[in-house]
Every structure is written in C-alpha cells, then in structure tokens.
Amino acid sequence: MKNRKNPQKNRVEEFSYNDEIVYTYVDQQPGEEYYQEDTEKPLDPQSLAIRRKKQQNTILITMLCLIAALLIGVIVIKQTIFRLNNVYVVGVGEEYKAEVINNCGLVRGQDIFSVDAESVRRRLESNNQVAFQNLTIDLPNSVYIYVEKREKAVVLQWAGTLYELDGDCRVLNMHNTTVIPDDVPLVTGLEVNSIQVGKPLSLSNSRQLTYLKELIFELEIQDFKSQVTVISLSSPEDAYLELANGISVRLGNGDNLRAKVGAVKGCMGLSGQMDGELVLNVTIPEKPTVSVGVYRPTSVD
C-alpha cells in the first residue's frame, strides 16, 4: 500500500552518447521525502505460531548447549582438581600419624567429595592407640583427621588379671599381676560379661557402664582423678569413692555428678581439720555432710 500524503516528485535526467544511455540521474526535490511501497503483508495466526515455535526451539537448544558445556566443565574440574592429595593427622605425635593414615582407608587421588567422616571413624575404631575425634575437608585436595591418644583412665581387676580402661571404657591393655597401680583409680563391683583387649568393656548392668563413663569424664574435666584411689559401683544407686587422703565419699546415684564432684573438691580440706576417718556425703551436693567413720555399702562384694 502506498502512502499518498506526499507523492514522490523527482526530476529524472538521462545522459547518452551515440544514442546509448550512459547513466540516469534522479534528483529528489529538497524537502520532499522518499516513500516506498510497503510490500510486506501481516502474517496470519498460524504463521505467527510457527515462527514463535521456531524461536522457542532455538532458545531451548541454546540453553541445553550451555548447560551441557557447563556440566562438562564441572566434570573436568572435578576429575582433575578435586582429588585427594594431602592427609594431615592432628592431635598425636609422629609415631602414630603413619598408622592413622594407613588405617583410615583414604587413597591418594580419590574424589575429595567421596571422603566420609563416618567411614574413617569406623576404620579407626580398631586402633587401640588413638581415638577418632573429627574430620574436615580443605578444598580442593586436603583432609585433616583429628585424633587423640587413648589414655589409661582406670584399672579393673577381674579373674586375677589387671585391665587398663580408657575414658570410654575401652580395654587398652592387660597385665597378669595383682599389683594395683597408684596413678589411676581402681574400679570395683562391676558385673563383667566379657573383657577383651581392644574392645569396649561389656557389663551385665548397663547402668554401671553409663555411671562409670560419666564419672570418669567429670573427674578428668575437674582435674580430680588423681585424688581418687577407688571407685565402687556395686550399687549404681549408692556408689562411693575412696580418696588418697583417707576420706570415703558417698556419691549416691548418677544424677548431677558435676555438682557432686565439685562438692567433694570443696571439702578436701576437712581431713586436716577433723580427727579420725571421715565419711563425706554429697548425695545432695548443695548440702554436703561429714561424719566420722568408714562408709561401705552393704552390697559391696
């Protein structure tokens, strides 16, 4: 359709030589605009739908290509950069680091994202010298394994043999002796099911095991274990301690052990102020009482 607002007015001049047209000069008058006939016809709805579909397909294909390129890049980076190259052991001396690395199950060059703390824990569970604490991953290629040395916390005499236990009641060593060491407490009254070096202690009375672990923890964290010579757990409801200064301590049940151990520490000066053997009762830690005598639960074997 032509725009008839400003019809086209041009001056056309033709130059020729020997009756042959050399060129044609078209001179558009100043101020006049040149309009062309609009030959493009509007598309029908079906054609518009087809064009829109093609555009959507083009965009979709482009996006899929970009995603594929991104995934390939991620895979390449993961296969080449995120590979285990360094394993560091923290918490023990050099004599144990090689053993931990050899037993942890990690392999140089493995996918760093495949490293699993629980798997390392299970593999190190068989190690009787160190205890697994934690594991952290330092991208792109390093792992830190935190362990601690298993230390003797108490001793247990059973069937004529002396056994060393750590704070988790794991059996560290055994000695065919009746000599009781004086550097850690002796535990008495336990109902032993089985006892094997490298394995946790097995008791018939699970309450005794829970009590012993919690008590060892409190004695260690309050730095009082060295003052205890005997831990008696014949009755988990009426346990007691014997201290190096001769005082007998009645603990009662396993509730509120932190306050009970704290109460015992606060009463340590009593041995120099009172004559005779003393019994310190901290079953109610807020109100400790002291009496003269020696306390022994009737259930002690």
Side-chain angles (χ1 to χ4, degrees):
M1 177 175 138
K2 294 184 179 179
N3 189 321
R4 302 188 180 279
K5 182 179 178 181
N6 291 314
Q8 183 174 310
K9 296 180 180 179
N10 299 322
R11 185 175 69 250
V12 180
E13 297 181 3
E14 295 182 355
F15 296 84
S16 64
Y17 178 75
N18 291 335
D19 296 328
E20 293 181 3
I21 296 177
V22 177
Y23 63 87
T24 302
Y25 174 74
V26 179
D27 181 19
Q28 186 174 347
Q29 297 300 318
E32 294 182 350
E33 298 181 359
Y34 182 74
Y35 291 86
Q36 290 183 342
E37 185 177 0
D38 185 6
T39 59
E40 184 176 358
K41 298 181 179 179
L43 298 177
D44 57 85
Q46 183 177 2
S47 299
L48 286 174
I50 294 174
R51 174 180 290 184
R52 191 177 297 111
K53 183 70 173 180
K54 289 182 179 180
Q55 292 175 344
Q56 291 175 349
N57 290 340
T58 301
I59 294 173
L60 179 60
I61 293 173
T62 302
M63 292 181 62
L64 290 176
C65 291
L66 290 175
I67 294 174
L70 180 61
L71 290 176
I72 292 173
V74 170
I75 292 173
V76 170
I77 292 174
K78 185 179 178 181
Q79 294 295 327
T80 57
I81 297 179
F82 295 100
R83 290 288 169 176
L84 179 61
N85 189 50
N86 305 303
V87 177
Y88 301 99
V89 179
V90 182
V92 293
E94 293 294 332
E95 67 273 21
Y96 298 108
K97 290 184 177 180
E99 183 178 357
V100 171
I101 292 175
N102 290 334
N103 294 340
C104 69
L106 300 180
V107 180
R108 183 185 295 273
Q110 78 177 80
D111 183 355
I112 193 72
F113 297 106
S114 68
V115 175
D116 177 59
E118 188 58 33
S119 176
V120 173
R121 178 193 297 275
R122 289 195 300 267
R123 287 181 175 274
L124 292 180
E125 184 64 26
S126 60
N127 192 303
N128 209 37
Q129 301 300 319
V130 299
F132 176 86
Q133 297 296 307
N134 193 17
L135 181 147
T136 60
I137 297 176
D138 185 17
L139 296 177
N141 57 14
S142 299
V143 168
Y144 289 82
I145 301 175
Y146 297 87
V147 297
E148 67 176 3
K149 179 75 171 61
R150 294 187 185 274
E151 300 288 353
K152 177 177 64 175
V154 295
V155 293
L156 167 66
Q157 197 166 43
W158 188 69
T161 303
L162 191 72
Y163 294 91
E164 298 177 354
L165 311 179
D166 69 359
D168 293 325
C169 293
R170 182 189 181 98
V171 183
L172 302 181
N173 293 297
M174 58 177 289
H175 304 280
N176 293 319
T177 179
T178 57
V179 178
I180 307 299
D182 57 4
D183 56 341
V184 293
L186 171 70
V187 183
T188 64
L190 297 181
E191 301 175 21
V192 178
N193 256 346
S194 64
I195 186 167
Q196 182 180 351
V197 174
K199 301 291 185 180
L201 180 66
S202 176
L203 301 181
S204 301
N205 190 338
S206 60
R207 293 169 59 202
Q208 287 183 326
L209 189 61
T210 300
Y211 198 134
L212 180 58
K213 288 181 180 181
E214 293 179 355
L215 180 58
I216 291 174
F217 176 79
E218 289 301 332
L219 292 175
E220 289 182 340
I221 201 172
Q222 298 192 45
D223 194 24
F224 195 68
K225 190 177 66 175
S226 61
Q227 301 298 320
V228 179
T229 58
V230 176
I231 299 173
S232 175
L233 289 174
S234 298
S235 172
E237 294 299 322
D238 199 15
Y240 81 98
L241 307 176
E242 292 182 12
L243 306 184
N245 61 4
I247 296 179
S248 298
V249 179
R250 184 178 177 185
L251 291 176
N253 60 29
D255 296 338
N256 209 7
L257 285 178
R258 178 161 301 179
K260 291 178 179 179
V261 173
V264 175
K265 292 181 64 177
C267 296
M268 283 295 290
L270 294 176
S271 60
Q273 301 175 14
M274 301 177 64
D275 295 331
E277 295 182 314
L278 305 179
V279 177
L280 173 62
N281 188 335
V282 294
T283 54
I284 303 176
E286 297 81 5
K287 298 179 180 180
T289 60
V290 180
S291 60
V292 178
V294 178
Y295 175 74
R296 293 289 187 276
T298 56
S299 58
V300 172
D301 296 333

